[in-house]
């Protein structure tokens, strides 16, 4: 793919009701530019390699956002909340394609998906950073509540009506 060619996932950026900092984080994530420890290692920086979310596997972007048990638990709950019974793919390439399939187009459903996707990516990355740098952690439950709350607020002001069926527990 040439430098000039627009990546196919840019459709996820349009009509996305997520907060700017959230979809900006998604943009960096999709470009594979978030500084995970595998990338630090390539620059010769040695840091703790274990993922702080599951404390089990080595941290890579693919792991943190897609394969990590913490991330999968979060995505499962968020998708379930939107009424989608779909499995999150396990590899980066499939994940990106899957995001495009569900986020493409102007339907309210696609917009909701994109918003929750960006806020979910942002939530995971912020949680990872707060565990690494501040040694503070939130539970999956807290993150689900925060992300669903912000999604309701953002989508209800952006897309009038049609959010009343969200049942937040
Ligand atoms: Zn993990």
């Amino acid at each position: 793919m040439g430098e000039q060619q627009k990546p196919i996932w840019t459709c996820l950026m349009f009509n996305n009701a997520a907060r700017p900092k959230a979809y900006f984080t998604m943009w960096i994530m999709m470009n594979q530019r978030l500084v995970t420890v595998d990338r630090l290692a390539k620059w010769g920086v040695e840091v703790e390699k274990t993922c702080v979310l599951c404390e089990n596997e080595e941290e890579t972007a693919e792991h943190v956002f897609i394969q990590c048990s913490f991330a999968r638990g979060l995505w499962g709950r968020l998708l379930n909340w939107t009424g989608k019974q779909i499995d999150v793919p396990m590899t980066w390439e499939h994940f990106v394609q899957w995001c495009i399939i569900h986020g493409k187009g102007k339907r309210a459903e696609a917009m909701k998906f994109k918003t929750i996707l960006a806020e979910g990516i942002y939530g995971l990355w912020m949680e990872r950073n707060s565990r690494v740098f501040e040694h503070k952690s939130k539970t999956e439950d807290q993150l689900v509540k925060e992300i669903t709350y912000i999604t309701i607020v953002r989508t209800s002001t952006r897309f009038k009506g049609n959010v009343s069926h969200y049942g937040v527990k």
Side-chain angles (χ1 to χ4, degrees):
M1 192 187 282
E3 287 279 13
Q4 302 304 314
Q5 204 173 344
K6 227 169 38 170
I8 189 162
W9 51 261
T10 50
C11 67
L12 299 171
M13 305 296 291
F14 301 115
N15 287 310
N16 192 323
R19 292 168 295 173
K21 61 185 177 185
Y23 67 72
F24 185 62
T25 303
M26 178 172 76
W27 186 81
I28 304 172
M29 179 266 195
M30 288 286 176
N31 272 305
Q32 304 199 49
R33 291 282 164 83
L34 288 176
V35 184
T36 41
V37 294
D38 57 318
R39 296 194 65 222
L40 280 175
K42 282 179 195 158
W43 296 332
V45 181
E46 284 303 321
V47 286
E48 172 60 49
K49 288 190 174 72
T50 310
C51 168
V52 288
L53 298 178
C54 65
E55 297 174 335
N56 203 24
E57 308 268 333
E58 248 182 56
E59 184 190 278
T60 62
E62 189 178 54
H63 173 79
V64 169
F65 295 103
I66 305 167
Q67 297 170 347
C68 182
S69 55
F70 187 89
R72 297 194 75 78
L74 186 77
W75 289 129
R77 300 238 338 242
L78 292 174
L79 289 167
N80 194 31
W81 175 70
T82 64
K84 284 185 185 291
Q85 303 295 331
I86 43 176
D87 288 329
V88 180
M90 282 298 270
T91 66
W92 186 276
E93 199 181 321
H94 289 137
F95 180 77
V96 173
Q97 282 168 5
W98 174 85
C99 293
I100 293 162
I101 290 167
H102 293 284
K104 201 165 58 181
K106 290 184 172 166
R107 291 164 298 124
E109 203 184 312
M111 291 173 185
K112 271 178 250 166
F113 176 84
K114 282 188 276 202
T115 306
I116 207 101
L117 181 71
E119 291 292 346
I121 287 168
Y122 180 74
L124 279 169
W125 189 239
M126 287 301 108
E127 180 57 21
R128 179 267 184 198
N129 287 342
S130 102
R131 289 187 189 200
V132 169
F133 301 116
E134 293 170 57
H135 306 288
K136 285 188 206 156
S137 59
K138 288 177 184 163
T139 62
E140 179 188 295
D141 223 39
Q142 284 172 302
L143 275 181
V144 168
K145 278 184 182 139
E146 278 179 21
I147 295 167
T148 50
Y149 175 74
I150 199 82
T151 301
I152 291 170
V153 172
R154 302 285 303 184
T155 53
S156 61
T157 50
R158 182 78 168 263
F159 318 117
K160 295 259 180 266
N162 210 22
V163 288
S164 54
H165 66 277
Y166 282 141
V168 185
K169 289 187 189 101

PDB file of all heavy atoms in Angstrom, residues 5 19 21-22 26 31 34 36 53-54 62 65 75 87 93 95 103 108 130 133 141 152 154:
ATOM      1  N   GLN A   5      -2.208   6.425  -0.370  1.00  0.00           N
ATOM      2  CA  GLN A   5      -3.494   5.736  -0.339  1.00  0.00           C
ATOM      3  C   GLN A   5      -4.135   5.828   1.043  1.00  0.00           C
ATOM      4  O   GLN A   5      -3.496   5.568   2.056  1.00  0.00           O
ATOM      5  CB  GLN A   5      -3.293   4.273  -0.716  1.00  0.00           C
ATOM      6  CG  GLN A   5      -4.553   3.651  -1.264  1.00  0.00           C
ATOM      7  CD  GLN A   5      -4.279   2.249  -1.791  1.00  0.00           C
ATOM      8  OE1 GLN A   5      -3.122   1.879  -2.006  1.00  0.00           O
ATOM      9  NE2 GLN A   5      -5.312   1.483  -1.984  1.00  0.00           N
ATOM     10  N   ARG A  19     -15.665  11.015  21.805  1.00  0.00           N
ATOM     11  CA  ARG A  19     -14.939  12.243  22.126  1.00  0.00           C
ATOM     12  C   ARG A  19     -13.711  12.332  21.213  1.00  0.00           C
ATOM     13  O   ARG A  19     -13.114  11.301  20.885  1.00  0.00           O
ATOM     14  CB  ARG A  19     -14.490  12.223  23.596  1.00  0.00           C
ATOM     15  CG  ARG A  19     -15.664  12.303  24.568  1.00  0.00           C
ATOM     16  CD  ARG A  19     -15.237  11.989  25.975  1.00  0.00           C
ATOM     17  NE  ARG A  19     -14.787  10.602  26.086  1.00  0.00           N
ATOM     18  CZ  ARG A  19     -14.230  10.084  27.170  1.00  0.00           C
ATOM     19  NH1 ARG A  19     -14.041  10.838  28.233  1.00  0.00           N
ATOM     20  NH2 ARG A  19     -13.867   8.825  27.203  1.00  0.00           N
ATOM     21  N   LYS A  21     -10.646  12.988  21.733  1.00  0.00           N
ATOM     22  CA  LYS A  21      -9.459  12.280  22.249  1.00  0.00           C
ATOM     23  C   LYS A  21      -9.611  10.773  22.064  1.00  0.00           C
ATOM     24  O   LYS A  21      -8.617  10.067  21.898  1.00  0.00           O
ATOM     25  CB  LYS A  21      -9.193  12.636  23.714  1.00  0.00           C
ATOM     26  CG  LYS A  21     -10.309  12.272  24.674  1.00  0.00           C
ATOM     27  CD  LYS A  21      -9.990  12.791  26.077  1.00  0.00           C
ATOM     28  CE  LYS A  21     -11.130  12.511  27.031  1.00  0.00           C
ATOM     29  NZ  LYS A  21     -10.920  13.098  28.353  1.00  0.00           N
ATOM     30  N   ALA A  22     -10.852  10.283  22.063  1.00  0.00           N
ATOM     31  CA  ALA A  22     -11.067   8.845  21.881  1.00  0.00           C
ATOM     32  C   ALA A  22     -10.869   8.446  20.421  1.00  0.00           C
ATOM     33  O   ALA A  22     -10.192   7.466  20.125  1.00  0.00           O
ATOM     34  CB  ALA A  22     -12.470   8.445  22.362  1.00  0.00           C
ATOM     35  N   MET A  26      -8.020   6.095  18.648  1.00  0.00           N
ATOM     36  CA  MET A  26      -8.332   5.006  17.722  1.00  0.00           C
ATOM     37  C   MET A  26      -7.535   5.161  16.419  1.00  0.00           C
ATOM     38  O   MET A  26      -7.033   4.190  15.877  1.00  0.00           O
ATOM     39  CB  MET A  26      -9.830   4.972  17.417  1.00  0.00           C
ATOM     40  CG  MET A  26     -10.201   3.877  16.410  1.00  0.00           C
ATOM     41  SD  MET A  26     -11.975   3.680  16.206  1.00  0.00           S
ATOM     42  CE  MET A  26     -12.352   5.110  15.201  1.00  0.00           C
ATOM     43  N   ASN A  31      -3.275   3.008  13.097  1.00  0.00           N
ATOM     44  CA  ASN A  31      -2.002   3.209  12.395  1.00  0.00           C
ATOM     45  C   ASN A  31      -0.869   2.401  13.029  1.00  0.00           C
ATOM     46  O   ASN A  31       0.274   2.492  12.580  1.00  0.00           O
ATOM     47  CB  ASN A  31      -1.607   4.693  12.422  1.00  0.00           C
ATOM     48  CG  ASN A  31      -2.197   5.459  11.259  1.00  0.00           C
ATOM     49  OD1 ASN A  31      -2.011   5.088  10.117  1.00  0.00           O
ATOM     50  ND2 ASN A  31      -2.916   6.515  11.555  1.00  0.00           N
ATOM     51  N   LEU A  34       0.631   3.375  18.575  1.00  0.00           N
ATOM     52  CA  LEU A  34       0.638   3.524  20.031  1.00  0.00           C
ATOM     53  C   LEU A  34       1.895   2.843  20.559  1.00  0.00           C
ATOM     54  O   LEU A  34       2.300   1.786  20.059  1.00  0.00           O
ATOM     55  CB  LEU A  34      -0.619   2.892  20.651  1.00  0.00           C
ATOM     56  CG  LEU A  34      -1.938   3.638  20.425  1.00  0.00           C
ATOM     57  CD1 LEU A  34      -3.093   2.845  21.017  1.00  0.00           C
ATOM     58  CD2 LEU A  34      -1.917   5.045  21.008  1.00  0.00           C
ATOM     59  N   THR A  36       3.475   0.660  22.530  1.00  0.00           N
ATOM     60  CA  THR A  36       3.408  -0.525  23.379  1.00  0.00           C
ATOM     61  C   THR A  36       4.846  -1.011  23.620  1.00  0.00           C
ATOM     62  O   THR A  36       5.764  -0.606  22.911  1.00  0.00           O
ATOM     63  CB  THR A  36       2.568  -1.620  22.695  1.00  0.00           C
ATOM     64  OG1 THR A  36       2.897  -1.657  21.298  1.00  0.00           O
ATOM     65  CG2 THR A  36       1.088  -1.345  22.826  1.00  0.00           C
ATOM     66  N   LEU A  53      -2.810  -5.486  31.922  1.00  0.00           N
ATOM     67  CA  LEU A  53      -4.258  -5.726  32.004  1.00  0.00           C
ATOM     68  C   LEU A  53      -4.564  -7.160  32.445  1.00  0.00           C
ATOM     69  O   LEU A  53      -5.461  -7.389  33.241  1.00  0.00           O
ATOM     70  CB  LEU A  53      -4.927  -5.422  30.661  1.00  0.00           C
ATOM     71  CG  LEU A  53      -4.821  -3.966  30.160  1.00  0.00           C
ATOM     72  CD1 LEU A  53      -5.486  -3.809  28.806  1.00  0.00           C
ATOM     73  CD2 LEU A  53      -5.429  -2.994  31.163  1.00  0.00           C
ATOM     74  N   CYS A  54      -3.809  -8.122  31.906  1.00  0.00           N
ATOM     75  CA  CYS A  54      -4.056  -9.520  32.278  1.00  0.00           C
ATOM     76  C   CYS A  54      -2.927 -10.103  33.120  1.00  0.00           C
ATOM     77  O   CYS A  54      -3.084 -11.154  33.730  1.00  0.00           O
ATOM     78  CB  CYS A  54      -4.270 -10.380  31.036  1.00  0.00           C
ATOM     79  SG  CYS A  54      -2.815 -10.496  29.978  1.00  0.00           S
ATOM     80  N   GLU A  62      -1.673  -5.753  19.320  1.00  0.00           N
ATOM     81  CA  GLU A  62      -2.634  -6.816  18.997  1.00  0.00           C
ATOM     82  C   GLU A  62      -3.131  -7.490  20.272  1.00  0.00           C
ATOM     83  O   GLU A  62      -4.303  -7.799  20.419  1.00  0.00           O
ATOM     84  CB  GLU A  62      -1.980  -7.844  18.071  1.00  0.00           C
ATOM     85  CG  GLU A  62      -2.955  -8.867  17.517  1.00  0.00           C
ATOM     86  CD  GLU A  62      -2.271  -9.845  16.566  1.00  0.00           C
ATOM     87  OE1 GLU A  62      -1.259 -10.451  16.976  1.00  0.00           O
ATOM     88  OE2 GLU A  62      -2.745  -9.993  15.432  1.00  0.00           O
ATOM     89  N   PHE A  65      -5.422  -4.799  22.679  1.00  0.00           N
ATOM     90  CA  PHE A  65      -6.755  -4.415  22.199  1.00  0.00           C
ATOM     91  C   PHE A  65      -7.613  -5.578  21.712  1.00  0.00           C
ATOM     92  O   PHE A  65      -8.820  -5.448  21.585  1.00  0.00           O
ATOM     93  CB  PHE A  65      -6.631  -3.383  21.071  1.00  0.00           C
ATOM     94  CG  PHE A  65      -6.033  -2.099  21.538  1.00  0.00           C
ATOM     95  CD1 PHE A  65      -4.711  -1.784  21.253  1.00  0.00           C
ATOM     96  CD2 PHE A  65      -6.772  -1.215  22.309  1.00  0.00           C
ATOM     97  CE1 PHE A  65      -4.142  -0.609  21.713  1.00  0.00           C
ATOM     98  CE2 PHE A  65      -6.217  -0.035  22.769  1.00  0.00           C
ATOM     99  CZ  PHE A  65      -4.897   0.271  22.473  1.00  0.00           C
ATOM    100  N   TRP A  75     -14.876  -5.995  25.526  1.00  0.00           N
ATOM    101  CA  TRP A  75     -15.570  -5.956  24.230  1.00  0.00           C
ATOM    102  C   TRP A  75     -16.847  -6.792  24.268  1.00  0.00           C
ATOM    103  O   TRP A  75     -17.875  -6.399  23.733  1.00  0.00           O
ATOM    104  CB  TRP A  75     -14.669  -6.467  23.091  1.00  0.00           C
ATOM    105  CG  TRP A  75     -13.531  -5.564  22.716  1.00  0.00           C
ATOM    106  CD1 TRP A  75     -12.216  -5.923  22.604  1.00  0.00           C
ATOM    107  CD2 TRP A  75     -13.593  -4.161  22.377  1.00  0.00           C
ATOM    108  NE1 TRP A  75     -11.460  -4.826  22.229  1.00  0.00           N
ATOM    109  CE2 TRP A  75     -12.265  -3.746  22.085  1.00  0.00           C
ATOM    110  CE3 TRP A  75     -14.617  -3.227  22.313  1.00  0.00           C
ATOM    111  CZ2 TRP A  75     -11.959  -2.429  21.712  1.00  0.00           C
ATOM    112  CZ3 TRP A  75     -14.313  -1.917  21.953  1.00  0.00           C
ATOM    113  CH2 TRP A  75     -13.010  -1.535  21.664  1.00  0.00           C
ATOM    114  N   ASP A  87     -18.684 -12.216  17.729  1.00  0.00           N
ATOM    115  CA  ASP A  87     -17.390 -12.477  18.336  1.00  0.00           C
ATOM    116  C   ASP A  87     -16.330 -11.534  17.781  1.00  0.00           C
ATOM    117  O   ASP A  87     -16.300 -11.252  16.594  1.00  0.00           O
ATOM    118  CB  ASP A  87     -16.956 -13.923  18.064  1.00  0.00           C
ATOM    119  CG  ASP A  87     -17.791 -14.893  18.885  1.00  0.00           C
ATOM    120  OD1 ASP A  87     -18.220 -14.508  19.984  1.00  0.00           O
ATOM    121  OD2 ASP A  87     -18.009 -16.017  18.414  1.00  0.00           O
ATOM    122  N   GLU A  93      -5.414  -8.114  11.596  1.00  0.00           N
ATOM    123  CA  GLU A  93      -5.983  -7.958  10.265  1.00  0.00           C
ATOM    124  C   GLU A  93      -7.494  -8.230  10.258  1.00  0.00           C
ATOM    125  O   GLU A  93      -8.282  -7.458   9.709  1.00  0.00           O
ATOM    126  CB  GLU A  93      -5.287  -8.943   9.324  1.00  0.00           C
ATOM    127  CG  GLU A  93      -5.419  -8.608   7.868  1.00  0.00           C
ATOM    128  CD  GLU A  93      -4.720  -9.664   7.023  1.00  0.00           C
ATOM    129  OE1 GLU A  93      -3.644 -10.136   7.437  1.00  0.00           O
ATOM    130  OE2 GLU A  93      -5.291 -10.021   5.992  1.00  0.00           O
ATOM    131  N   PHE A  95      -9.458  -8.139  12.842  1.00  0.00           N
ATOM    132  CA  PHE A  95     -10.115  -7.161  13.703  1.00  0.00           C
ATOM    133  C   PHE A  95     -10.436  -5.888  12.911  1.00  0.00           C
ATOM    134  O   PHE A  95     -11.554  -5.373  12.974  1.00  0.00           O
ATOM    135  CB  PHE A  95      -9.212  -6.833  14.900  1.00  0.00           C
ATOM    136  CG  PHE A  95      -9.787  -5.819  15.858  1.00  0.00           C
ATOM    137  CD1 PHE A  95     -10.773  -6.184  16.769  1.00  0.00           C
ATOM    138  CD2 PHE A  95      -9.347  -4.499  15.850  1.00  0.00           C
ATOM    139  CE1 PHE A  95     -11.307  -5.248  17.661  1.00  0.00           C
ATOM    140  CE2 PHE A  95      -9.872  -3.557  16.733  1.00  0.00           C
ATOM    141  CZ  PHE A  95     -10.854  -3.938  17.644  1.00  0.00           C
ATOM    142  N   GLY A 103     -18.793  -0.899  11.068  1.00  0.00           N
ATOM    143  CA  GLY A 103     -18.817   0.555  11.242  1.00  0.00           C
ATOM    144  C   GLY A 103     -19.086   1.324   9.961  1.00  0.00           C
ATOM    145  O   GLY A 103     -19.211   2.544   9.979  1.00  0.00           O
ATOM    146  N   ALA A 108     -27.704   4.272  11.959  1.00  0.00           N
ATOM    147  CA  ALA A 108     -27.499   4.604  13.370  1.00  0.00           C
ATOM    148  C   ALA A 108     -26.717   3.495  14.074  1.00  0.00           C
ATOM    149  O   ALA A 108     -25.876   3.756  14.934  1.00  0.00           O
ATOM    150  CB  ALA A 108     -28.847   4.814  14.054  1.00  0.00           C
ATOM    151  N   SER A 130      -2.745   4.047  33.008  1.00  0.00           N
ATOM    152  CA  SER A 130      -2.863   4.363  34.430  1.00  0.00           C
ATOM    153  C   SER A 130      -2.280   3.221  35.287  1.00  0.00           C
ATOM    154  O   SER A 130      -1.704   3.458  36.341  1.00  0.00           O
ATOM    155  CB  SER A 130      -4.292   4.745  34.796  1.00  0.00           C
ATOM    156  OG  SER A 130      -4.968   3.709  35.414  1.00  0.00           O
ATOM    157  N   PHE A 133       1.763   3.743  34.641  1.00  0.00           N
ATOM    158  CA  PHE A 133       2.404   4.961  35.150  1.00  0.00           C
ATOM    159  C   PHE A 133       1.932   5.396  36.525  1.00  0.00           C
ATOM    160  O   PHE A 133       2.637   6.095  37.237  1.00  0.00           O
ATOM    161  CB  PHE A 133       2.207   6.113  34.153  1.00  0.00           C
ATOM    162  CG  PHE A 133       2.769   5.819  32.796  1.00  0.00           C
ATOM    163  CD1 PHE A 133       1.934   5.733  31.679  1.00  0.00           C
ATOM    164  CD2 PHE A 133       4.134   5.597  32.619  1.00  0.00           C
ATOM    165  CE1 PHE A 133       2.449   5.454  30.420  1.00  0.00           C
ATOM    166  CE2 PHE A 133       4.661   5.319  31.367  1.00  0.00           C
ATOM    167  CZ  PHE A 133       3.814   5.240  30.257  1.00  0.00           C
ATOM    168  N   ASP A 141     -15.900  -3.838  35.248  1.00  0.00           N
ATOM    169  CA  ASP A 141     -17.217  -3.278  35.529  1.00  0.00           C
ATOM    170  C   ASP A 141     -17.221  -1.747  35.481  1.00  0.00           C
ATOM    171  O   ASP A 141     -18.110  -1.141  34.878  1.00  0.00           O
ATOM    172  CB  ASP A 141     -17.617  -3.721  36.953  1.00  0.00           C
ATOM    173  CG  ASP A 141     -19.052  -4.161  36.996  1.00  0.00           C
ATOM    174  OD1 ASP A 141     -19.490  -4.807  36.024  1.00  0.00           O
ATOM    175  OD2 ASP A 141     -19.729  -3.845  37.999  1.00  0.00           O
ATOM    176  N   ILE A 152     -23.814   6.868  25.639  1.00  0.00           N
ATOM    177  CA  ILE A 152     -25.202   7.343  25.677  1.00  0.00           C
ATOM    178  C   ILE A 152     -25.240   8.863  25.542  1.00  0.00           C
ATOM    179  O   ILE A 152     -25.982   9.417  24.737  1.00  0.00           O
ATOM    180  CB  ILE A 152     -25.907   6.919  26.996  1.00  0.00           C
ATOM    181  CG1 ILE A 152     -26.130   5.418  27.016  1.00  0.00           C
ATOM    182  CG2 ILE A 152     -27.244   7.641  27.150  1.00  0.00           C
ATOM    183  CD1 ILE A 152     -26.588   4.901  28.359  1.00  0.00           C
ATOM    184  N   ARG A 154     -22.967  10.937  24.356  1.00  0.00           N
ATOM    185  CA  ARG A 154     -22.488  11.427  23.061  1.00  0.00           C
ATOM    186  C   ARG A 154     -23.438  11.088  21.916  1.00  0.00           C
ATOM    187  O   ARG A 154     -23.658  11.904  21.038  1.00  0.00           O
ATOM    188  CB  ARG A 154     -21.100  10.862  22.743  1.00  0.00           C
ATOM    189  CG  ARG A 154     -20.047  11.171  23.767  1.00  0.00           C
ATOM    190  CD  ARG A 154     -19.550  12.581  23.718  1.00  0.00           C
ATOM    191  NE  ARG A 154     -19.011  12.957  22.427  1.00  0.00           N
ATOM    192  CZ  ARG A 154     -18.441  14.129  22.181  1.00  0.00           C
ATOM    193  NH1 ARG A 154     -18.333  15.030  23.152  1.00  0.00           N
ATOM    194  NH2 ARG A 154     -17.986  14.420  20.994  1.00  0.00           N
TER     195      ARG A 154
END
